[in-house]
Amino acid sequence: MNSGSSARTAARRIWGLLYRHLALYRRSWPRLLELAYWPVLQMCIWGFTASFLAARIGNAAAVAGATLLGGVLLWEVALRSQMGVAISFMEEMWSRNLGHLFVSPIRPWELITALLLVSVVRMLGGVLPALLVAWILYAYNLFSLGPVVVLFFMNLMMFGWAVALGVVSLILRHGAGAEALAWSVLFGLTPFSAVFYPVAVLPHVLQPIAEALPSAHVFEGMRGVVLQGIVRWDHLIAAFALNVIWIAGATLLFARQFRQARLRGALLSIGE
Amino acid sequence: MNGIRVSNLTKRYDDTLAVDDITFTVPVGAIVGLLGGNGAGKTTTIGMLLGLLIPTAGAIEVLGHDMARDRFPALARMNFSSPYVSLPQRLSVAENLRVYGHLYNVPNLEQRIAELAAELELRDLLHRPAGKLSAGQKTRVALAKALINRPELLLLDEPTASLDPDTGDWVRSWLERYREDTGCTILLASHNMAEVERLCSDVLMLKRGRIVDRGTPQGLLDRYGRKDMEEVFLDIARDRRHAVPA
């Protein structure tokens, strides 16, 4: 098989898995609603809070409100990307379909690529309605930050994927017992990601943890644009570099746990 | 020519020896039965043949491919069905078949789905969610999934488990016909002795991870001096009687 033909075959396998998840959403409006529910709810709560403070305190609060809303929206990008991968993998586990998938010719990297694409769809399904609510209710347009927003999005998606690969690896290792991590693990990193405040606010002992997270650099960058009107390229480069390290580490962990699962015979019994 | 060649295959989990140094071949076009009680090592053997499990020792060659180094080309030419592995319940039958058609890179996929729907009497079920089907219907859908890529090798783990006698007989007849029409090689793990007797040209009897006997169903009946395979199975499982040397 030549390289063009094998690339087409790989793309078709990836599409097959993507189609499986899209078909699931096509026939279930509660699933579609669930995608947007939490991001829109978050946006409403923090949007009204910011509006209230702006009315009471004035311009300073309005700037703080813009930082807050930007933080809420961008953090949802990371959260939805992470959950998109982890929950899509768990869908296969819950439907006891992993055995069929892993005996098909789909390669592990194709499976992961398909899950990443599903997560992009899920992320957009959650974040776009929240963006719309922010624009309609609070006249807040995240894209007014400029094209750099795209780089913020990319970095946060990559970070979400790295964490998700770690979660999937733990599910391969510990089975259904690790499921709760799919919902909770990124929330645990929120304080260190400096979503709503600068890293400098953290105690000195915790600051190195924040510095090691790509997300903290993204939010420092976002505050640079909102508060000073400048693009902090140093933070963006740091975020990309850290993401490369995080994704490489998570990929190695996944490859190791996948092999361990094949040694232990866990691929058929996982989730039981 | 062999569809499957297994040499000195062993699988150990910590202190448990699940498969203990087994060697066998399955000729192309044959239906071979893997027979044994619970814990005999049937599912572990099938798991290793499918690449789901990495053996502790030994070698597996499937359709000429070494499964340790080159499993994906073999996986594209084989398929698997088991009542213990499901298809996504919320997808319709057609959607499930479409997913696996893409995964196996099936040409003219919609035409293939229509063919299988006609052959396996699934036309009325194509748009029903897989989770809303009866056990017999699910078995037919699982067979359709297993045949979507026109496999040269089919691994079936208890294909008629939990089916009523009529549906079970329908599945067995269908498998016989399919093998005759296509020359597909089939390895069948089963607890159903009548099924093995009817379908298989050769039987491998597994006990505690070892192949303790093998032969044609009639050969085994003659050697154990029994009338049916169930009695042979019980003789072996309970160490009641040993084969009479020919």
Side-chain angles (χ1 to χ4, degrees):
Chain A
M1 193 182 283
N2 64 38
S3 59
S5 160
S6 62
R8 268 197 304 278
T9 311
R12 191 164 177 209
R13 287 191 290 261
I14 291 167
W15 164 245
L17 210 51
L18 186 59
Y19 170 82
R20 176 253 194 274
H21 287 278
L22 294 179
L24 204 57
Y25 282 98
R26 194 175 62 182
R27 65 175 54 250
S28 171
W29 65 262
R31 280 175 190 269
L32 279 173
L33 189 66
E34 182 269 333
L35 284 183
Y37 178 76
W38 186 248
V40 168
L41 191 69
Q42 285 271 75
M43 181 44 59
C44 288
I45 292 168
W46 292 107
F48 288 129
T49 306
S51 301
F52 167 72
L53 290 174
R56 292 290 295 265
I57 303 169
N59 193 45
V63 173
T67 315
L68 199 64
L69 293 187
V72 170
L73 282 169
L74 287 175
W75 191 231
E76 283 297 328
V77 173
L79 277 174
R80 299 298 131 192
S81 300
Q82 182 259 310
M83 286 186 188
V85 174
I87 293 175
S88 302
F89 181 82
M90 290 194 304
E91 294 267 12
E92 306 296 359
M93 196 174 83
W94 293 329
S95 59
R96 296 168 63 226
N97 184 41
L98 281 173
H100 282 314
L101 277 186
F102 289 129
V103 302
S104 81
I106 195 165
R107 277 63 166 169
W109 74 265
E110 292 165 356
L111 173 78
I112 294 298
T113 305
L115 293 180
L116 298 186
L117 291 174
V118 175
S119 90
V120 172
V121 174
R122 288 180 60 113
M123 184 275 288
L124 290 174
V127 172
L128 288 181
L131 277 168
L132 197 65
V133 167
W135 184 59
I136 292 169
L137 293 183
Y138 318 116
Y140 178 79
N141 180 6
L142 185 68
F143 294 102
S144 65
L145 297 179
V148 73
V149 165
V150 176
L151 300 178
F152 293 159
F153 262 66
M154 282 170 63
N155 266 297
L156 290 168
M157 279 167 59
M158 288 165 71
F159 180 52
W161 292 342
V163 174
L165 275 180
V167 170
V168 169
S169 304
L170 288 172
I171 292 172
L172 282 173
R173 176 69 186 84
H174 298 288
E179 270 184 41
L181 291 172
W183 283 274
S184 58
V185 72
L186 211 52
F187 283 108
L189 293 177
T190 312
F192 307 105
S193 291
V195 179
F196 303 115
Y197 43 76
V199 171
V201 168
L202 292 170
H204 284 293
V205 69
L206 295 180
Q207 287 183 17
I209 299 174
E211 300 286 353
L213 298 178
S215 48
H217 293 277
V218 170
F219 289 108
E220 291 288 30
M222 182 201 74
R223 277 184 291 274
V225 177
V226 173
L227 302 175
Q228 296 150 6
I230 55 167
V231 175
R232 291 287 304 271
W233 291 107
D234 55 335
H235 279 301
L236 268 173
I237 291 166
F240 270 115
L242 284 168
N243 266 323
V244 169
I245 295 169
W246 272 74
I247 286 181
T251 305
L252 287 175
L253 182 66
F254 175 81
R256 181 180 158 73
Q257 289 306 336
F258 186 72
R259 184 177 162 76
Q260 289 294 323
R262 286 182 64 214
L263 279 167
R264 289 195 320 274
L267 294 181
L268 269 173
S269 60
I270 193 168
E272 289 173 1
Chain B
M1 192 179 165
N2 292 311
I4 300 174
R5 180 193 292 273
V6 167
S7 314
N8 305 107
L9 189 65
T10 298
K11 181 66 192 178
R12 179 184 285 281
Y13 299 108
D14 298 325
D15 295 335
T16 309
L17 200 54
V19 172
D20 184 7
D21 195 26
I22 63 173
T23 296
F24 65 90
T25 56
V26 178
V28 166
I31 302 184
V32 172
L34 212 49
L35 210 56
N38 296 323
K42 303 186 300 291
T43 303
T44 304
T45 303
I46 285 187
M48 288 189 280
L49 290 172
L50 288 163
L52 281 173
L53 265 171
I54 298 175
T56 307
I60 301 171
E61 202 178 280
V62 171
L63 301 169
H65 297 278
D66 177 352
M67 290 302 278
R69 288 181 301 162
D70 194 25
R71 75 180 191 278
F72 292 111
L75 290 175
R77 296 167 58 195
M78 59 200 278
N79 216 313
F80 162 69
S81 178
S82 164
Y84 308 113
V85 182
S86 305
L87 293 168
Q89 307 283 294
R90 291 179 198 280
L91 297 194
S92 70
V93 171
E95 285 167 342
N96 268 303
L97 295 178
R98 223 167 269 142
V99 168
Y100 281 94
H102 288 306
L103 293 184
Y104 283 92
N105 194 33
V106 174
N108 305 317
L109 179 55
E110 293 305 315
Q111 190 186 325
R112 178 65 182 149
I113 291 172
E115 276 169 24
L116 286 169
E119 285 174 28
L120 290 159
E121 299 173 18
L122 294 173
R123 278 191 184 128
D124 296 338
L125 307 176
L126 280 177
H127 302 293
R128 294 250 300 269
K132 298 255 166 92
L133 304 176
S134 69
Q137 291 167 336
K138 279 183 181 167
T139 301
R140 297 202 320 262
V141 172
L143 265 181
K145 175 261 157 190
L147 299 172
I148 191 85
N149 59 328
R150 296 184 176 88
E152 294 162 60
L153 170 65
L154 202 47
L155 300 185
L156 302 174
D157 189 10
E158 299 183 37
T160 56
S162 79
L163 297 182
D164 64 64
D166 180 41
T167 314
D169 181 66
W170 187 91
V171 170
R172 285 187 277 276
S173 301
W174 199 89
L175 284 172
E176 277 178 318
R177 212 169 45 244
Y178 180 76
R179 209 266 310 167
E180 281 166 20
D181 293 347
T182 64
C184 177
T185 309
I186 299 177
L187 182 67
L188 177 88
S190 182
H191 283 133
N192 187 321
M193 304 306 135
E195 178 169 285
V196 169
E197 208 171 325
R198 172 172 161 185
L199 291 178
C200 300
S201 54
D202 267 298
V203 180
L204 303 168
M205 305 291 291
L206 278 173
K207 185 178 177 184
R208 293 190 207 105
R210 298 188 71 92
I211 294 176
V212 291
D213 212 336
R214 67 179 82 194
T216 62
Q218 190 55 51
L220 286 167
L221 293 176
D222 292 345
R223 282 220 298 281
Y224 284 80
R226 293 295 191 178
K227 290 195 193 99
D228 61 52
M229 285 297 290
E230 188 148 342
E231 290 177 334
V232 174
F233 178 87
L234 290 173
D235 284 344
I236 291 173
R238 296 177 184 173
D239 289 322
R240 282 197 316 210
R241 187 195 290 197
H242 295 286
V244 181

